[in-house]
Amino acid sequence: MVRNVLKRQLESEITRVLRLVKHRFGLRLREDVLFGVVDGYVVSISCFVEGVAGNTIMLRAMLKPMVLDDVFWDVFDMSSNCRGPLSLRVYGAFTVGALPVAMSRRQVDSVDQVAVFIEETVSDMMRDLRGLVARLGSLEEYARYADRVAHGRRLYPFDSALTWMLIDIIRGGFAQARERAMLELANHRSGNMVNGNRNIYEYVVDYCRAHEAQYGGSEQGRVISLQRLVGYHEAHYGSECFEQVLRVVPEIARQFGVGYYQNILFQQVGQYWVVLTINVRADTADGDQLSVFGLIKPVVGDDVLWHVFGHDEFRDVAVMRCDDALSTFPLVFFGRDMSVDESGGREQYLYHVLSELVDQWVAQSREYVLLVDGVADFIDLAQQSVVAIIEDEQVRESRFRSNRMFNPDLHYMLLDLSNGEYAKARQRAHALLEQGKTGFSIAGSESYARIEEYCVAHER
């Protein structure tokens, strides 16, 4: 009886402490689970009382890439879940299992010991989670790390086989994902979830067969746009501010006569494609943070790249130029970062702020195009990092990261190809390959090697 009273007291104290701790780390809380997003990963820390005696407090930290849920829901005929609240990725019955990465237990004799233990443990776990996310540079690295942690053991709810299948699908490897699923089924393993009368691995097989039939095998597989599936990883799905941004974007797009997709506005200006992305970082120390970035790149680059990779049909899909994995990376030329105060909860306020920013983006994108004399000049300027209208250090750092992604070598090769200079493009590609540089990899093919092969074929 005494122990049951203590357990209830501990549970009440845990809830109280977690409500305080969540603000310190910019996390959300539901049913004694802290959760949030760290650079595209959903992280969570659950806290509860365990044991027969009811005097042991346990905390468990878990993480997973957000994009895995989005692809999983696409496969499992639940794609509408992508627009659900962030908590759905933590509590949903039909979600990709997260990886348990840390656990801490302590026996306590009174509620006075709870606060210090939880605060110290959550602080340590969040530090370790952020460090781990920073080290995991790709989905494959995440999956390999998870397999090392598991050492062949079952780490419920993490499902290694399903994780690798989803990564294959993301990379366009439909045949490989299908073969993994069929191997699991042949060994009488069906995964953890059933929808209707089929299990998840059967869904993977059917999904991959349909995409192979439409887009070809792994070499010519359709590339699923990660950012198009999940918006932008900086955006906290389910946040009220971000949902309101999604509601006002269509009206703003109509006002300025530009295209839009979710939190992205886009238009063609002369020889260039310009894009505006609107991100929200929720629950920061300063409240909601609105980040707006204008990006620019030559139209011809994507046209030629898709032709080289055998996807000319992408030219007619405007959003593919904005954020698809199989496209050329743009350069940031315009940026704004600002805090959204409490009035930001009103859509009228967001509409006013974003309308002003879009008006500036439209004007400055046209001004930027007038600064350059042709695509070659644009690439030269981009290579020298001569970009304009960046306001503060935070945006300047984002510009620097984007400049590293902007690949002048690739753009020069694509420009050569657009001019019919196959030998010149081949020599550029060969020189880079000799240096051990391969460009981006998609559907099992390295971009520089593919360009070299394409040039050889067209020189003959």
Side-chain angles (χ1 to χ4, degrees):
M1 182 69 175
V2 174
R3 288 299 185 187
N4 289 335
V5 171
L6 177 59
K7 181 176 182 181
R8 289 196 295 271
Q9 291 175 338
L10 291 177
E11 290 172 342
S12 178
E13 179 68 0
I14 286 171
T15 300
R16 185 191 72 83
V17 174
L18 291 177
R19 285 173 179 167
L20 298 175
V21 168
K22 73 172 185 176
H23 297 294
R24 177 180 169 189
F25 297 99
L27 299 171
R28 304 181 194 186
L29 175 66
R30 179 179 170 185
E31 298 179 10
D32 290 347
V33 178
L34 299 165
F35 59 93
V37 177
V38 175
D39 292 337
Y41 280 76
V42 179
V43 299
S44 63
I45 300 175
S46 58
C47 183
F48 51 92
V49 179
E50 70 166 3
V52 176
N55 66 340
T56 300
I57 299 178
M58 175 175 171
L59 286 90
R60 182 173 67 164
M62 306 177 74
L63 87 165
K64 64 177 173 181
M66 285 183 69
V67 68
L68 295 184
D69 280 329
D70 295 281
V71 179
F72 165 77
W73 286 325
D74 195 39
V75 171
F76 219 29
D77 289 342
M78 296 180 176
S79 56
S80 61
N81 285 359
C82 294
R83 304 271 14 111
L86 181 63
S87 59
L88 183 63
R89 301 171 187 269
V90 180
Y91 288 97
F94 296 104
T95 59
V96 176
L99 176 69
V101 294
M103 190 176 297
S104 181
R105 288 186 177 91
R106 178 173 295 181
Q107 289 186 354
V108 297
D109 298 318
S110 71
V111 294
D112 297 336
Q113 300 169 296
V114 173
V116 173
F117 172 59
I118 290 180
E119 290 172 3
E120 291 179 348
T121 304
V122 171
S123 178
D124 291 343
M125 286 182 168
M126 285 303 300
R127 180 198 63 215
D128 294 343
L129 284 168
R130 293 183 185 280
L132 177 58
V133 169
R135 295 195 302 273
L136 298 175
S138 68
L139 293 173
E140 288 84 356
E141 287 183 38
Y142 163 77
R144 286 192 290 268
Y145 170 80
D147 288 342
R148 290 196 301 271
V149 171
H151 286 298
R153 297 173 292 126
R154 177 79 171 120
L155 289 180
Y156 186 82
F158 177 75
D159 182 340
S160 176
L162 178 60
T163 297
W164 280 109
M165 291 175 210
L166 296 175
I167 292 174
D168 288 338
I169 290 171
I170 289 168
R171 301 301 188 227
F174 299 108
Q176 187 173 355
R178 174 177 51 79
E179 290 168 1
R180 287 186 195 272
M182 292 176 67
L183 179 61
E184 293 297 306
L185 291 168
N187 286 295
H188 307 289
R189 295 187 290 265
S190 57
N192 302 323
M193 289 159 284
V194 175
N195 186 12
N197 60 355
R198 291 183 298 160
N199 62 59
I200 178 57
Y201 295 161
E202 291 173 321
Y203 268 89
V204 170
V205 171
D206 292 345
Y207 182 91
C208 291
R209 280 176 174 162
H211 283 72
E212 285 180 89
Q214 184 173 2
Y215 299 104
S218 59
E219 284 300 309
Q220 296 294 328
R222 169 179 174 267
V223 178
I224 292 182
S225 169
L226 307 191
Q227 292 179 337
R228 184 152 42 86
L229 282 169
V230 302
Y232 280 76
H233 289 158
E234 292 183 0
H236 281 209
Y237 272 74
S239 76
E240 182 180 358
C241 185
F242 187 69
E243 294 299 328
Q244 289 168 340
V245 165
L246 295 180
R247 287 197 289 270
V248 302
V249 161
E251 181 59 30
I252 292 174
R254 285 190 288 271
Q255 176 184 343
F256 290 93
V258 299
Y260 75 94
Y261 185 88
Q262 294 185 356
N263 59 324
I264 305 169
L265 297 164
F266 51 85
Q267 66 172 336
Q268 184 173 340
V269 179
Q271 303 178 68
Y272 303 93
W273 199 253
V274 293
V275 180
L276 189 76
T277 69
I278 305 168
N279 300 331
V280 174
R281 293 180 64 87
D283 296 335
T284 69
D286 298 322
D288 290 333
Q289 294 280 323
L290 196 66
S291 297
V292 179
F293 296 99
L295 306 102
I296 187 169
K297 62 180 175 179
V299 172
V300 68
D302 287 333
D303 289 345
V304 176
L305 182 69
W306 290 331
H307 184 67
V308 170
F309 273 82
H311 287 295
D312 287 318
E313 71 277 8
F314 287 176
R315 297 177 62 172
D316 298 324
V317 185
V319 73
M320 297 290 283
R321 300 181 185 274
C322 301
D323 63 359
D324 199 83
L326 185 56
S327 64
T328 58
F329 285 112
L331 184 76
V332 173
F333 75 98
F334 164 89
R336 295 289 187 274
D337 255 358
M338 67 195 72
S339 295
V340 181
D341 60 24
E342 292 182 1
S343 63
R346 295 179 301 190
E347 290 184 21
Q348 184 177 3
Y349 172 83
L350 280 173
Y351 180 86
H352 174 71
V353 170
L354 291 175
S355 292
E356 289 187 350
L357 291 170
V358 172
D359 188 40
Q360 295 172 33
W361 165 67
V362 170
Q364 293 179 12
S365 61
R366 295 184 183 280
E367 290 176 7
Y368 189 91
V369 168
L370 293 175
L371 291 175
V372 295
D373 183 19
V375 174
D377 186 39
F378 168 82
I379 303 172
D380 286 341
L381 290 174
Q383 192 171 23
Q384 299 167 31
S385 297
V386 181
V387 294
I389 325 169
I390 302 296
E391 285 195 338
D392 57 39
E393 287 298 325
Q394 184 175 356
V395 178
R396 190 170 293 113
E397 291 174 4
S398 297
R399 182 203 69 180
F400 175 70
R401 288 197 298 271
S402 192
N403 282 354
R404 287 193 299 171
M405 295 171 65
F406 184 86
N407 186 335
D409 292 318
L410 177 61
H411 279 279
Y412 279 128
M413 281 183 264
L414 297 175
L415 180 60
D416 291 339
L417 291 177
S418 70
N419 293 329
E421 298 178 316
Y422 300 110
K424 191 174 180 181
R426 175 179 53 77
Q427 289 166 4
R428 289 186 195 270
H430 184 76
L432 290 165
L433 289 168
E434 288 286 305
Q435 298 171 32
K437 300 177 181 178
T438 60
F440 66 84
S441 176
I442 209 72
S445 180
E446 306 289 353
S447 56
Y448 296 166
R450 176 65 71 90
I451 288 174
E452 184 179 38
E453 293 170 1
Y454 179 89
C455 292
V456 170
H458 284 73
E459 282 183 273
R460 293 171 180 169

